[in-house]
Amino acid sequence: KLNYSKLYLQRYYGYTIDFGFKKNVHEYIDVGFVVKNLGYEYKSNDIYKIDRSVGFGMAFNYPILLQSFNSNINLYVDVVNEMEVDLYRIGFKFSMPYVSLMFGSSYSSNQYRDYSYGLSFLYDKWEVIVGKLIHENSILGSPGSIQIRHYF
């Protein structure tokens, strides 16, 4: 991933690589493991190593038939360790051909809580994801995200 961040007058840019695996253990259940954010970020002439995160999760995938096309309802449950804090996440995804709607929430033992929503477009093996995060720190605002993915 290529990263670019701007907070007030500070600008950061860099790259990260994510690795993971997913295994189908039942017709409707997948389990997975991920290591994210292996990379660096640059600000002026300084280089910073990005804090990586490690996570485990389960997905419940239930296919449904709407009118004349197939769709899916997915429930995701994850535990992610970021910066020595365990983060618990739950998410829902409603997938139709080419378009998906997503909603989620995260919380931790140190009282952190957020909510998110998004929309994705999938064509061939390319996906564009647009999302928004709402959290308790109003000073930082509600960050948005755009991701472009290619599946191999």
Side-chain angles (χ1 to χ4, degrees):
K1 296 184 288 189
L2 299 176
N3 306 320
Y4 175 78
S5 299
K6 180 182 173 191
L7 181 61
Y8 301 110
L9 299 176
Q10 303 281 336
R11 294 178 194 262
Y12 299 87
Y13 62 93
Y15 66 92
T16 55
I17 299 172
D18 302 340
F19 293 100
F21 75 88
K22 180 173 76 169
K23 172 83 173 141
N24 183 261
V25 295
H26 183 270
E27 183 179 3
Y28 300 124
I29 300 174
D30 296 328
V31 296
F33 176 80
V34 68
V35 177
K36 295 178 71 173
N37 295 334
L38 299 172
Y40 294 92
E41 197 165 59
Y42 304 92
K43 175 188 164 199
S44 300
N45 293 328
D46 297 326
I47 300 173
Y48 300 93
K49 186 174 181 182
I50 298 173
D51 293 326
R52 72 170 179 250
S53 64
V54 178
F56 171 79
M58 292 182 67
F60 303 92
N61 311 302
Y62 189 72
I64 58 175
L65 180 64
L66 292 175
Q67 299 290 328
S68 61
F69 62 88
N70 291 325
S71 59
N72 290 309
I73 294 178
N74 306 90
L75 168 66
Y76 302 102
V77 179
D78 299 326
V79 176
V80 178
N81 184 277
E82 293 181 357
M83 298 182 295
E84 306 300 322
V85 175
D86 289 332
L87 185 64
Y88 305 96
R89 303 187 309 193
I90 187 167
F92 299 94
K93 182 177 180 181
F94 177 64
S95 301
M96 299 168 284
Y98 306 109
V99 178
S100 296
L101 303 171
M102 299 165 278
F103 304 94
S105 180
S106 301
Y107 64 94
S108 70
S109 58
N110 66 355
Q111 306 302 316
Y112 175 80
R113 182 175 303 268
D114 68 29
Y115 304 95
S116 59
Y117 59 93
L119 181 67
S120 70
F121 303 94
L122 178 66
Y123 182 74
D124 197 18
K125 293 184 177 186
W126 289 92
E127 185 174 27
V128 176
I129 303 166
V130 179
K132 191 80 165 169
L133 179 72
I134 301 168
H135 55 85
E136 296 171 346
N137 190 342
S138 61
I139 294 171
L140 296 177
S142 296
S145 170
I146 297 174
Q147 296 181 28
I148 299 173
R149 295 181 180 177
H150 183 268
Y151 296 96
F152 299 96

